[in-house]
Every structure is written in structure tokens, then in C-alpha cells.
Amino acid sequence: VVQALGATIGTRISFSNLSWYLDEIKLNDICFLKISGDEAKKLTSYDNSLVAIAKVIKTPYNIHIPVGMSINHGTIDIEIINVFDSITADELYKYPSLKNTLSIGASTKGMPNQAIGKLTIRQGEDIIKALKNESRLSSISYDSYNITNNSLDIFIINTINV
């Protein structure tokens, strides 16, 4: 889907009207891009899925309080650093550390619908490991993302034929 929109490695995108984490976003922070939407409102057919990795290239700017709101909103700029075949929550279900990870992994409880979320370092690393394990990031090395531990918990499914 990202490819269909013309986004490739190096594409720069601005996200505006963000209200969460404005004081925590730093230059070069890693971002995971996920596309999603209500089935009834989609103009084209796609699965809600993770589709790219980006990094922050401009920290929050244009900070303002919109009319009728009470908290600051701002804009960040990101640059796509990796585009891959989309991966859905169903495909990530076997990774227990990704359960309930901001709708990236399988979600078992209601989550707010937000344009931005925050992950722990371990969750981010485990997403990258799962993407590599699922052959979405075949050409990267873990050290390019500063990951030193390449272990990843996976549910093992055994089938018993009777």
C-alpha cells in the first residue's frame, strides 16, 4: 500500500495535528508506519497492517493549541528507511511480546484510536526481529538498529494427527 502511494525509501512525510509525546520525540527516533481504517470507509482494498519503518528527521514544530482544544498540537517530519510487504496482526500473533502493542500485534483489549503511539525499546526491537523472522526485512542487520540480542519468543504450534 505504501508503494501504491508512491512512498519509497527516502520519501519524506509530515504528520500534523499530533498531540501526544510532543516533548518526547527526538531526532532519529524510529517510527513504525501502520495503515488502518474502517472496512466500510476504505476507498481501496487493503489489510490493516504494518508497512514501513521510518525515522524522525524534524522534531515537533508548529506547536499550537487548535481552536476549541485545550492541549498543544504539532507536526513532525519523518523519512522512510525501509518499505516491506505488509504484515498483519494475525501474522504477528505468534510473538507474545507483541501482544497488545498499539494494534501492531494481536490486540486482546480495546485501544484508543490515535495517530501516534509509543513503544518500549524492547517492543520496537521485537517488531524488527519479527519482521526479519517473517522475511519482511531480509536485507537488514540487527546492529543497524542497535539491537544486540537477537532472541525472540515465538509460540510453537504442534499439530497432532490422530
Side-chain angles (χ1 to χ4, degrees), residues 13-152:
I13 304 169
S14 295
F15 286 97
S16 58
N17 293 319
L18 301 176
S19 59
W20 289 8
Y21 312 114
L22 295 178
D23 57 343
E24 297 178 43
I25 298 170
K26 296 179 186 70
L27 202 59
N28 294 316
D29 277 353
I30 297 294
C31 306
F32 296 96
L33 301 183
K34 180 190 140 198
I35 57 164
S36 64
D38 296 330
E39 287 299 323
K41 296 181 180 179
K42 291 180 181 178
L43 299 178
T44 60
S45 178
Y46 60 85
D47 290 325
N48 294 346
S49 56
L50 192 59
V51 295
I53 299 174
K55 67 178 178 178
V56 174
I57 58 170
K58 188 168 184 184
T59 56
Y61 62 96
N62 191 24
I63 308 292
H64 65 287
I65 299 176
V67 175
M69 301 281 186
S70 60
I71 59 172
N72 280 333
H73 286 62
T75 300
I76 63 169
D77 293 346
I78 63 167
E79 181 178 327
I80 294 178
I81 58 174
N82 207 312
V83 177
F84 45 85
D85 290 337
S86 64
I87 190 162
T88 66
D90 287 341
E91 294 172 279
L92 294 173
Y93 195 81
K94 60 189 163 195
Y95 302 99
S97 63
L98 299 183
K99 182 174 149 187
N100 299 320
T101 303
L102 296 174
S103 299
I104 292 170
S107 181
T108 60
K109 60 185 177 183
M111 300 249 172
N113 193 6
Q114 298 295 323
I116 189 171
K118 182 178 174 182
L119 303 173
T120 66
I121 291 172
R122 172 156 183 206
Q123 288 171 320
E125 289 178 347
D126 283 356
I127 290 168
I128 291 168
K129 292 176 203 175
L131 289 169
K132 188 166 183 182
N133 196 54
E134 295 295 318
S135 300
R136 298 310 202 280
L137 295 178
S138 57
S139 65
I140 67 114
S141 66
Y142 289 142
D143 20 329
S144 66
Y145 288 96
N146 296 322
I147 298 173
T148 56
N149 172 10
N150 62 2
S151 66
L152 180 63

